[in-house]
Amino acid sequence: MACQVSAAQMMAGSALRRLMAEYKQLTLNPPEGIIAGPVNEENFFEWEALITGPEGTCFEGGIFPAKLVFPPDYPLSPPKMQFICEMFHPNIYADGRVCISILHAPGDDPMGYESSAERWSPVQSVEKILLSVVSMLAEPNDESGANVDAAKMWREDREQFNKIAERLVRKTLGLPPPE
Amino acid sequence: MALTVDKLTNDERFSGDNVLQFLLYLPLGLMLMCIRIVLALVLWIASIIMHDKPGARHVLSTLACWTFGVYVKVKGVRDQRCSILVSNYVSCMDSLAATHKLGSISLRKWKVPPFFASALGIKSASQFVRKQHFSETPSKPVLLQPEGGPTNSKGLLKFTDWPFPIGNKVQPVAISVERPFTNVTVHRALDKTAVFPWRDALWFLMTPCSVYTIHLLPSLERNDDAFVDNIRTAIAEALKIETTEYTWQQLCARRGRVTRVTSRPPPEAARVKEVLPAVPLRDIIRELEKTRSVDVTITNFLEGLVPYTPEPEPVVEPQPSTSQAPPKYITPAPTGVFPKSAKERQMSFQERKAQMIAEARNRYIEKHGLNIAMNC
């Protein structure tokens, strides 16, 4: 029993070190339009990230806050990511959870729908997740419908989708919705 | 007495009483082998003729049992509600014994001719799709042997080799094997899991008979995290052996054979590599030899105390981007410093967040010509 506890602690220890290394990297050398770090360093396993809506897309200009929760065995298992602002996107659930392949461990998908190359593995990183999320905002994948309504609107009524996106962008910046 | 890794496999193929007996038996054995090879040919022809005929499976597995001199005794009752059987691993013919009596299939990484695979009741692990299997042949249980490789049944290895997540109900099976009259090891520790152990099979052809005992244990249901341990304990108790902390990889590594096949790094190095994927493995191993500690090694690399050339990381493109020019983003002003104290770091992070939002806001107002900038 004691052995198990120490194994778990050791695991959390290496998770902490790795997270600290990534935090340092992200602070000193941030990718464009992204910042991320622990909300409160007393709990290094919960991070907040701000993601800028990619230019030339309907989410342009918005600053979207998201929460990342890391498991104790990170980086063996992927973190969970959830937007904490209102979102309307084919690959984001109504509660803000993000559905992209990099956040799934290779064993998670019994259907073999996602190729394991783009899945989570310890060589991935917070930075790569966040960059994937930026690409996801720019180019939704309407085949995996985390939000079916959004996927349908993205396909069939792009104008309406863009309107909703603009409202969300303004909301993240604390600006009133367009008239 | 502590069970060490090297006691879990037999080095000597023939550990009989004396060599003379073996030599006396040899002509008989070779004759037996010739007859069995003829039987194997019959099996081959039969499998071509009877391909996919109802009832063929039993005939073929019986023929295969004769060929390899496999005799199977079954104890216990098969629980029809369980489609997954989990057992220990004793030889390359486990799957044959099980398919003969239980109609199960086993997943293997071996590449063998299809007729041979169907006679032995094995399926290629890489081609196995769980859903497809159970929708096409729901009555065929799958036998899993998660030890990963055969042992001499003096101890049960750690379970590692799970081809898919097992359900909530499995039936544990304890397999034991003995060879009357002769004392020949039924398996050899393999260094290649992807190759059928032909040498083991030849010994099967030479020995008069191998008696398998398949002991079906009461099925187990998942009710806590210790499910896998419970299965392991049940099998070990039925075999009256102990569970060990060794894995199949360790067993192979101890025999000094596995390095050339998988070149698996030592577990400590693997742990450092998980945390620092960019550091080359040979640097990690060198540093570990010096420090003898995973944590110290990680710290030394992180703090830059030990120089290394970063490995190019496998490129994982998030998504193929189309012909568009790369999108531009608002860059938060990089501070260029990473404060030492947690408090300062947190402050800096908060500041940068606020700054990023404020900048984005101003930019948006400017771009869209809004006249609410004065309000704040």
Side-chain angles (χ1 to χ4, degrees), chain A residues 4 10-11 13-15 17-18 20-21 23-24 26-42 44 48-56 60-63 75-76 102 107 110-111 117-119 122-124 128 131-132 134-136 138-141 166 169-170 172-176, chain B residues 129 131 165 229 271 273-277 294-296 298-300 302-303 313-322 324-346 348-354 356-365 367-368 370 372-373:
Chain A
Q4 272 175 2
M10 247 155 45
M11 221 166 207
S14 23
R17 282 166 196 283
R18 159 85 180 236
M20 181 56 105
Y23 183 29
K24 189 172 178 180
L26 279 167
T27 307
L28 293 179
N29 206 352
E32 279 189 302
I34 292 172
I35 59 174
V39 185
N40 180 340
E41 287 202 22
E42 297 202 343
F44 225 95
E48 191 183 346
L50 294 185
I51 297 170
T52 310
E55 226 163 84
E60 176 177 334
I63 302 285
L76 294 183
I102 194 173
M111 307 296 286
E118 53 200 17
R119 304 289 198 79
V123 303
Q124 309 284 22
K128 286 191 186 143
L131 288 173
S132 297
V134 172
S135 324
M136 175 200 82
E139 292 167 30
N141 171 9
E166 194 186 352
V169 167
R170 287 185 177 223
T172 66
L173 299 173
L175 296 168
Chain B
V129 181
K131 274 194 180 158
D229 285 333
R271 276 192 38 220
K273 184 80 179 160
E274 274 156 14
V275 180
L276 305 166
V294 172
D295 280 353
V296 176
I298 294 175
T299 314
N300 287 353
L302 279 183
E303 312 256 295
E313 291 175 33
V315 182
V316 180
E317 284 296 323
Q319 222 133 82
S321 75
T322 42
Q324 291 174 342
K328 292 181 207 136
Y329 305 99
I330 305 164
T331 317
T335 52
V337 281
F338 189 65
K340 280 267 177 219
S341 87
K343 206 174 168 190
E344 279 174 68
R345 281 197 294 263
Q346 230 162 288
S348 147
F349 182 49
Q350 294 297 348
E351 241 167 64
R352 280 178 297 129
K353 276 196 292 190
M356 184 166 162
I357 295 173
E359 260 174 46
R361 190 168 190 268
N362 288 341
R363 211 186 232 225
Y364 189 93
I365 290 167
K367 189 166 178 182
H368 294 262
L370 304 182
I372 42 167

Side-chain angles (χ1 to χ4, degrees), chain B residues 198-365:
Chain B
W198 291 105
R199 282 202 211 159
D200 282 354
L202 279 181
W203 280 93
F204 269 91
L205 293 178
M206 244 187 84
T207 36
C209 171
S210 315
V211 180
Y212 281 81
T213 309
I214 295 182
H215 190 173
L216 292 156
L217 307 171
S219 54
L220 290 175
E221 244 168 289
R222 185 192 293 270
N223 42 21
D224 53 20
D225 291 343
F227 185 45
V228 169
D229 285 333
N230 293 345
I231 300 174
R232 215 158 84 94
T233 317
I235 295 173
E237 272 171 12
L239 291 168
K240 298 192 180 61
I241 58 175
E242 49 183 302
T243 56
T244 68
E245 285 305 302
Y246 300 117
T247 62
W248 172 242
Q249 276 82 14
Q250 281 169 318
L251 202 72
C252 296
R254 185 58 69 93
R255 299 178 62 87
R257 289 164 169 230
V258 82
T259 36
R260 136 177 77 99
V261 187
T262 53
S263 70
R264 187 171 278 266
E268 295 82 23
R271 276 192 38 220
V272 179
K273 184 80 179 160
E274 274 156 14
V275 180
L276 305 166
V279 181
L281 202 57
R282 53 170 196 284
D283 290 344
I284 294 177
I285 292 171
R286 203 188 49 218
E287 186 60 18
L288 268 173
E289 278 170 5
K290 268 190 257 167
T291 62
R292 305 238 158 244
S293 150
V294 172
D295 280 353
V296 176
T297 307
I298 294 175
T299 314
N300 287 353
F301 280 117
L302 279 183
E303 312 256 295
L305 298 176
V306 187
Y308 65 91
T309 332
E311 273 181 353
E313 291 175 33
V315 182
V316 180
E317 284 296 323
Q319 222 133 82
S321 75
T322 42
S323 56
Q324 291 174 342
K328 292 181 207 136
Y329 305 99
I330 305 164
T331 317
T335 52
V337 281
F338 189 65
K340 280 267 177 219
S341 87
K343 206 174 168 190
E344 279 174 68
R345 281 197 294 263
Q346 230 162 288
M347 293 265 288
S348 147
F349 182 49
Q350 294 297 348
E351 241 167 64
R352 280 178 297 129
K353 276 196 292 190
Q355 200 185 342
M356 184 166 162
I357 295 173
E359 260 174 46
R361 190 168 190 268
N362 288 341
R363 211 186 232 225
Y364 189 93
I365 290 167

Side-chain angles (χ1 to χ4, degrees), chain A residues 90 145-153 155:
Chain A
N147 183 337
V148 182
D149 295 338
K152 192 162 176 255
M153 194 182 289
R155 267 197 309 268

